[in-house]
């Protein structure tokens, strides 16, 4: 499939999706969302892909937010629909069966910070900047930012960042637990690939169950411990489990079939 606002490349089982509007600092407009969701779903459906990287085109920005030029004249209903669209795509990412890493290569503001937070892991380049500046616009985050920022860095600091619109540099984001690693820009994708390759040596079915169990912790009305019990049960019925335990007992490296 060809896209106008994103680039999608597959290399050695890793699908790199690049938000590609560098002249607008990769701001997420409606058309970009319409391509991003299907591109992510296509990666989930493609058995040759085991992991994803999401990044932004150019050296300046990961994503500088939702496209503010599309905000003018919105009705309440349209505003809610816009927010719901973002939630739909970001929930798809968060609940995805395959590991997804945000390679944050510059500004990750508003919807950009929210996109990064929806990914399972975040690696930032040294020049990355994070923030939720929506209150500058008379807005609040609309793509999960009020929830995922609290989940990642805790209520106190999240409240401060959401209320002050203050940006934090990559090193500060690392201290806050907002990102997993900070690396020089030249090594950003290499670090993401290395993380995915390490995860790929593990059981893919177990990785999918891990994602679901972690997300259950944050899901209203869902008992995460019960989810773990159920999904632990699922694991013992997989070929990955048979291979993993057999390999251990036979003192060899496991080769997981992913089923
Ligand atoms: N939506 C739409 N366009 C955006 C954008 C956004 N969120 N962020 C940047 N752009 C556009 C600018 O309008 C500009 O377009 P132009 O060249 O056609 O005028 C271009 O991207 C470059 O941005 P510019 O502001 O000139 O770059 P800068 O280096 O001076 O500042 C930022 C960089 C990130 C600090 C600044 O662009 C900014 O504050 N962006 C908005 C961040 C935001 O509020 N995000 C949350 C949205 S809800």
């Amino acid at each position: 499939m060809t896209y106008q606002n994103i680039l999608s490349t597959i290399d050695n089982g890793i699908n790199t999706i690049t938000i590609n509007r560098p002249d607008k600092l990769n701001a997420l407009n409606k058309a970009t969302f319409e391509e991003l969701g299907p591109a992510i779903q296509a990666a989930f459906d493609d058995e040759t892909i085991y992991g994803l990287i999401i990044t932004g085109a150019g050296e300046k920005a990961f994503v500088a937010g939702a496209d503010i030029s599309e905000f003018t004249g919105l009705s309440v209903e349209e505003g809610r629909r816009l927010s719901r669209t973002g939630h739909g795509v970001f929930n798809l990412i968060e609940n995805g069966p395959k590991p997804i890493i945000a390679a944050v290569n510059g500004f990750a503001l508003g919807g950009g910070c929210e996109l990064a937070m929806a990914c399972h892991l975040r690696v930032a380049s040294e020049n990355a900047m994070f923030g939720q500046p929506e209150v500058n616009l008379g807005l609040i985050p609309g793509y999960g930012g009020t929830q995922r920022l609290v989940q990642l860095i805790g209520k106190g600091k999240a409240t401060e960042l959401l209320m002050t619109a203050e940006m934090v540099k990559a090193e500060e984001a690392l201290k806050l637990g907002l990102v997993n690693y900070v690396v020089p820009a030249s090594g950003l994708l290499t670090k993401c690939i290395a993380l995915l390759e390490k995860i790929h040596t593990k059981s893919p079915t177990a990785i999918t169950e891990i994602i679901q169990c972690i997300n259950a912790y944050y899901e209203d009305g869902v008992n995460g411990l019960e989810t773990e019990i159920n999904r632990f049960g699922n694991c013992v019925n997989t070929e990955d489990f048979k291979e993993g335990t057999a390999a251990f007992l036979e003192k060899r490296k496991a080769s997981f079939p992913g089923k």
Side-chain angles (χ1 to χ4, degrees):
M1 185 168 168
T2 53
Y3 301 105
Q4 306 302 314
N5 300 283
I6 60 174
L7 300 170
S8 178
T9 56
I10 301 169
D11 193 16
N12 281 325
I14 296 176
N15 188 179
T16 301
I17 295 176
T18 306
I19 311 297
N20 190 28
R21 304 182 69 218
D23 53 328
K24 295 291 174 192
L25 303 188
N26 304 318
L28 296 171
N29 61 357
K30 192 165 168 274
T32 304
F33 270 122
E34 280 167 3
E35 294 181 353
L36 188 56
I40 302 275
Q41 189 58 54
F44 294 165
D45 296 341
D46 185 337
E47 286 184 6
T48 68
I49 294 169
Y50 71 81
L52 290 85
I53 296 171
I54 299 180
T55 192
E59 289 170 7
K60 199 168 165 185
F62 172 68
V63 166
D67 192 320
I68 298 168
S69 70
E70 292 185 343
F71 284 175
T72 38
L74 286 178
S75 67
V76 171
E77 253 334 291
E78 286 166 336
R80 290 191 178 133
R81 204 175 310 134
L82 184 76
S83 177
R84 211 171 279 287
T85 300
H87 274 265
V89 176
F90 290 4
N91 288 345
L92 180 74
I93 292 170
E94 186 171 57
N95 293 314
K98 302 176 184 183
I100 306 177
I101 302 184
V104 183
N105 56 313
F107 289 114
L109 303 176
C113 190
E114 291 170 297
L115 173 59
M117 290 193 292
C119 294
H120 302 129
L121 298 168
R122 284 149 292 284
V123 181
S125 60
E126 286 163 346
N127 66 322
M129 298 280 279
F130 295 80
Q132 297 287 165
E134 286 85 352
V135 290
N136 288 330
L137 304 169
L139 272 177
I140 63 169
Y143 304 149
T146 61
Q147 306 303 294
R148 292 193 180 100
L149 192 62
V150 174
Q151 291 165 7
L152 279 169
I153 70 171
K155 187 177 174 185
K157 197 67 191 177
T159 304
E160 181 187 335
L161 295 186
L162 289 162
M163 284 185 171
T164 63
E166 203 64 47
M167 284 192 224
V168 294
K169 292 182 179 164
E171 277 304 328
E172 173 73 3
L174 182 65
K175 284 189 202 135
L176 291 172
L178 186 50
V179 300
N180 298 79
Y181 293 96
V182 177
V183 296
S186 58
L188 182 61
L189 290 179
T190 308
K191 180 66 189 175
C192 295
I193 291 165
L195 274 168
L196 285 174
E197 283 176 344
K198 181 183 262 191
I199 295 167
H200 191 46
T201 63
K202 317 302 174 194
S203 151
T205 55
I207 296 299
T208 302
E209 299 293 14
I210 287 282
I211 292 168
Q212 294 308 320
C213 288
I214 291 167
N215 290 346
Y217 178 85
Y218 298 104
E219 212 175 313
D220 244 0
V222 171
N223 183 324
L225 292 174
E226 274 304 318
T227 302
E228 184 182 281
I229 290 165
N230 284 329
R231 292 191 173 259
F232 181 88
N234 292 350
C235 287
V236 300
N237 198 32
T238 62
E239 289 181 30
D240 279 2
F241 170 70
K242 289 189 193 93
E243 166 61 10
T245 46
F248 177 80
L249 295 171
E250 291 161 19
K251 300 191 187 306
R252 62 176 171 80
K253 212 164 162 282
S255 173
F256 293 109
K259 300 191 267 202

